[in-house]
Every structure is written in structure tokens, then in C-alpha cells.
Amino acid sequence: KLLFVTVDVDKSGEVSFDELSDGLVKLKKAMHGMDRCVAFIRKTFDDYDKDGSGSLSKEEALALLMNPVVQAKLGQMNVPVDDLIDVWNAIDAQDLDDVEGVTAEEMLAGFLSIGMENSASARAINFMRQVFKVADVKWDNSSTMSREEVGEHFTTKRVTHKLESLKLPTPDWMGIFDVLDFNGDGQLTWEELSGGLRTTWTAVQEGKVRAAFDDPQAGEQSPLASP
């Protein structure tokens, strides 16, 4: 399970050949010499799982992450602890079972995902997933977002500040909604939204800003970038 959730990059529940081959190479590098660290994290997880439920709440997980010994072990796993919320976001991104709390496997998968790729775009995607989840709970728990919901929750100063801190452009959220709503149902799933954002921000980091943002048909700037 740990292998699967780690290499399933787009969280589709299925692993393509490209994901598997690329993931195995990255995972091998990330896991080199990590056996003792992984064993320690598993044991520490059990120590913090006071009720023996097999999962930790966000508060319990953050308490574990603040443990200095745990932070030292995470350093050996190439997991930076300068922003524990970012670490939590990466862990929670592996939690796909809709059950409250994260398991030891999901926590380890989160750590490994950071060790494999701690790019600004990956951190931004994990952050926006948290914004999406909070907004969805506030509105209707539909696992989708309408244009109105995106306008209310994605255009905040908090979101803009986070993206600026990661040196990523803030999209024109209304424009990106229209572009990504391929089926025209007026709703975006997280898969639709994250796919578009991942493509956009990865292109930015690869120095392909113009290719990502220019609309070759209209000859104008794409709505994926703010004016």
C-alpha cells in the first residue's frame, strides 16, 4: 500500500506505467538507508496513537512532528521541518479513504512524497487541496466546487500570500475555472482542478512560463495566469 500511494502521483486510484517506472526510481533514491528511520517513525506513531485506533488526528500528528527526535529523523529522510503545516498537507494528501485521521502508512507516504519531490508546485498543490476541503465542507460536501465557491475561497489574501511565498503565480481563478470545466457542468472536482494547477505550476518551474500561459489561438494571455 505504501508503494502504491507513493507512486500514484495524480491520486486517481490507478497507477500508469509511467507513474510506476518514474515512482520506483524516485522511491529507491528516497528510501536509500531509510530502514531505521521508517521503523522509528512507525514505533513513534504507535506511541502517539493513545487510543489504539490506528490513526492520528491532525493535532496528534502535529504533536508528533514537533518532537525534536522525530524532526532529526525526518532530516535524515530529506524532509524539511521549517513549515510543519506543509508537512501535514503532504501527509493529508495521501489520505484518500475519507476516514478521519491518518494511518502510519499514509504518514510515511507523505514523508516519502516530500523526499521524492519537495518542489514549490507540489507544496502549492497540497496547500490548495486543504483550501478545497475546507470550502467543500462549508458549502455542501459535494466533493466539487462551483464557480461561486472558487471565487469565495481561492481569491483570498491567505491563498495569494502562500503562492507568493512559494514564488508561484496566482492564477486568474475565474478564468482557470472556465478553462478546466471541460464537461461544462459548472462544477470542478479536485482531480480536474489539481491537474490543471499541477501542469501550470510545473511548467513555470521548468521555465516554460510563456508556453504555459500564452493562448496560441487567441494570441492573448491565458486565464491560467493573473493579469
Side-chain angles (χ1 to χ4, degrees), residues 2-62:
L2 178 58
L3 172 62
F4 184 90
V5 297
T6 303
V7 301
D8 182 20
V9 177
D10 61 6
K11 305 307 173 191
S12 64
E14 297 180 350
V15 175
S16 67
F17 177 77
D18 287 341
E19 283 180 319
L20 180 61
S21 57
D22 186 49
L24 287 175
V25 172
K26 291 181 179 179
L27 187 59
K28 182 178 180 180
K29 293 179 180 179
M31 287 293 292
H32 180 67
M34 293 295 103
D35 291 353
R36 290 186 178 181
C37 292
V38 169
F40 174 81
I41 295 296
R42 289 185 187 278
K43 181 182 182 304
T44 306
F45 183 98
D46 291 339
D47 292 341
Y48 278 78
D49 182 18
K50 302 298 185 183
D51 59 3
S53 64
S55 65
L56 298 182
S57 66
K58 179 179 180 179
E59 291 71 24
E60 291 171 326
L62 287 174

Side-chain angles (χ1 to χ4, degrees), residues 45-171:
F45 183 98
D46 291 339
D47 292 341
Y48 278 78
D49 182 18
K50 302 298 185 183
D51 59 3
S53 64
S55 65
L56 298 182
S57 66
K58 179 179 180 179
E59 291 71 24
E60 291 171 326
L62 287 174
L64 182 152
L65 293 174
M66 287 188 285
N67 183 316
V69 181
V70 170
Q71 293 190 2
K73 293 294 183 182
L74 292 179
Q76 296 176 33
M77 297 175 71
N78 295 318
V79 177
V81 292
D82 56 310
D83 189 333
L84 293 183
I85 296 300
D86 271 0
V87 179
W88 163 255
N89 291 345
I91 294 170
D92 190 57
Q94 312 302 320
D95 182 14
L96 305 177
D97 55 13
D98 293 324
V99 176
E100 185 68 24
V102 294
T103 65
E105 297 296 318
E106 290 164 345
M107 177 171 282
L108 285 167
F111 294 154
L112 290 174
S113 72
I114 297 173
M116 291 164 61
E117 181 186 9
N118 189 36
S119 64
S121 59
R123 294 169 71 177
I125 291 293
N126 290 336
F127 170 79
M128 293 308 304
R129 180 175 179 272
Q130 295 297 316
V131 177
F132 185 101
K133 287 176 62 178
V134 170
D136 187 42
V137 169
K138 179 179 178 181
W139 282 70
D140 52 16
N141 279 308
S142 64
S143 297
T144 62
M145 293 192 72
S146 66
R147 205 170 189 276
E148 183 180 1
E149 290 172 282
V150 168
E152 178 177 338
H153 295 278
F154 283 27
T155 59
T156 64
K157 291 182 179 179
R158 173 172 173 260
V159 169
T160 301
H161 175 73
K162 179 64 175 179
L163 297 182
E164 287 177 348
S165 73
L166 294 172
K167 303 186 186 313
L168 291 173
T170 300

Side-chain angles (χ1 to χ4, degrees), residues 154-221:
F154 283 27
T155 59
T156 64
K157 291 182 179 179
R158 173 172 173 260
V159 169
T160 301
H161 175 73
K162 179 64 175 179
L163 297 182
E164 287 177 348
S165 73
L166 294 172
K167 303 186 186 313
L168 291 173
T170 300
D172 169 6
W173 291 111
M174 298 298 93
I176 202 171
F177 183 97
D178 296 335
V179 169
L180 297 178
D181 185 21
F182 300 115
N183 58 11
D185 65 353
Q187 299 287 327
L188 282 185
T189 65
W190 172 244
E191 288 70 25
E192 289 174 318
L193 179 59
S194 62
L197 293 177
R198 184 176 289 106
T199 299
T200 300
W201 286 330
T202 298
V204 170
Q205 290 193 290
E206 291 176 351
K208 299 176 182 177
V209 180
R210 185 172 299 280
F213 288 172
D214 287 352
D215 184 340
Q217 294 183 343
E220 300 175 348
Q221 189 180 51

